[in-house]
Amino acid sequence: MNAFQRNESKETLFTFISAGDDPPKGDFPVQKKSPKLCGSNYPLSIAFIVVNEFCERFSYYGMRAVLTLYFLSFFHWDENLSTAVYHAFSALCYFTPVIGAIMADSWLGKYKTIIYLSVVYVVGHLIKSVGAIPSLGNQTVHVILSMVGLFLIALGTGGIKPCVSAFGGDQFEEEHTSERSKFFSIFYLSINAGSLISTFVTPVLRGDVKCFGEDCYALAFGVPAALMVLALGE
């Protein structure tokens, strides 16, 4: 076989496609685009993420707004112990994002981490609300339920913190950078709106509504719990 024949035999191994031909099906999978919000370039999932974040921040800051008063008037703790437990809870909330980030990056991914820890978050709020019912057991029971609830809340709120905003940014395609920037502005607006509104609403629920013959801490904690259930449903 001469050199020309060898080159010819090599060329037969390749199939050439002209510019007008379609590439073979199956070799280039087509990525389906997510549904858009009202015909815009915003993915539909963005609306649920923003509402979810509003409800989550309302539930957290609403619960925290009356937490110290709860320790003082419901448990009858002194100011030093109440302040120490309050700040320990706050510190734990800012430590648990490390746990959430590790879970998302090396184990479950952002979406499953948000879902699973949101369930933990809801359970914590419900236990905290039940622990504020005066007729349910003695003070030891109330303290145990409240501390368990606060621990689960800290794990939930901190665990999802590093995931939600990043998960929202992942919903956008690469060419929609301006829409992604606007999303983060709306996202942080929902955070501040939920925090601000809950700070005013929750103390009103505690002081102006009476249940079991005294300030209704069960309702003050129950409304944030209901908002977190709504956030999980979103």
Side-chain angles (χ1 to χ4, degrees), residues 124-173:
H125 268 296
L126 294 176
I127 293 175
K128 186 77 179 65
S129 302
V130 172
I133 299 176
S135 59
L136 185 66
N138 55 24
Q139 184 172 354
T140 302
V141 174
H142 297 314
V143 171
I144 292 174
L145 290 176
S146 296
M147 294 303 105
V148 171
L150 287 176
F151 175 79
L152 295 178
I153 290 171
L155 180 60
T157 188
I160 67 175
K161 192 181 295 295
C163 303
V164 178
S165 59
F167 181 72
D170 290 344
Q171 306 306 303
F172 290 89
E173 290 137 12

Side-chain angles (χ1 to χ4, degrees), residues 25-49:
K25 294 182 178 179
D27 294 343
F28 301 93
V30 178
Q31 183 178 5
K32 293 183 179 179
K33 295 185 177 181
S34 59
K36 302 300 181 181
L37 183 63
C38 299
S40 65
N41 290 325
Y42 292 91
L44 183 61
S45 57
I46 292 303
F48 297 102
I49 292 173

Side-chain angles (χ1 to χ4, degrees), residues 66-215:
V66 297
L67 188 58
T68 303
L69 289 175
Y70 177 68
F71 293 151
L72 291 170
S73 62
F74 193 84
F75 290 162
H76 304 291
W77 288 351
D78 58 35
E79 292 185 3
N80 291 333
L81 179 58
S82 300
T83 303
V85 174
Y86 175 84
H87 286 294
F89 167 72
S90 299
L92 184 60
C93 290
Y94 286 100
F95 171 76
T96 50
V98 177
I99 299 175
I102 293 173
M103 290 176 61
D105 290 342
S106 61
W107 183 23
L108 296 175
K110 297 185 189 73
Y111 179 74
K112 288 184 178 180
T113 300
I114 293 170
I115 294 298
Y116 294 159
L117 291 183
S118 292
V119 173
V120 173
Y121 201 167
V122 169
V123 172
H125 268 296
L126 294 176
I127 293 175
K128 186 77 179 65
S129 302
V130 172
I133 299 176
S135 59
L136 185 66
N138 55 24
Q139 184 172 354
T140 302
V141 174
H142 297 314
V143 171
I144 292 174
L145 290 176
S146 296
M147 294 303 105
V148 171
L150 287 176
F151 175 79
L152 295 178
I153 290 171
L155 180 60
T157 188
I160 67 175
K161 192 181 295 295
C163 303
V164 178
S165 59
F167 181 72
D170 290 344
Q171 306 306 303
F172 290 89
E173 290 137 12
E174 290 299 325
E175 63 269 21
H176 299 150
T177 55
S178 61
E179 286 82 359
R180 184 188 290 121
S181 299
K182 292 178 182 177
F183 156 71
F184 284 112
S185 298
I186 298 172
F187 180 80
Y188 287 109
L189 175 63
S190 70
I191 291 176
N192 293 319
S195 306
L196 178 65
I197 294 172
S198 66
T199 303
F200 287 102
V201 172
T202 309
V204 172
L205 295 176
R206 177 201 66 85
D208 294 355
V209 179
K210 302 296 179 182
C211 57
F212 307 102
E214 54 187 86
D215 289 345

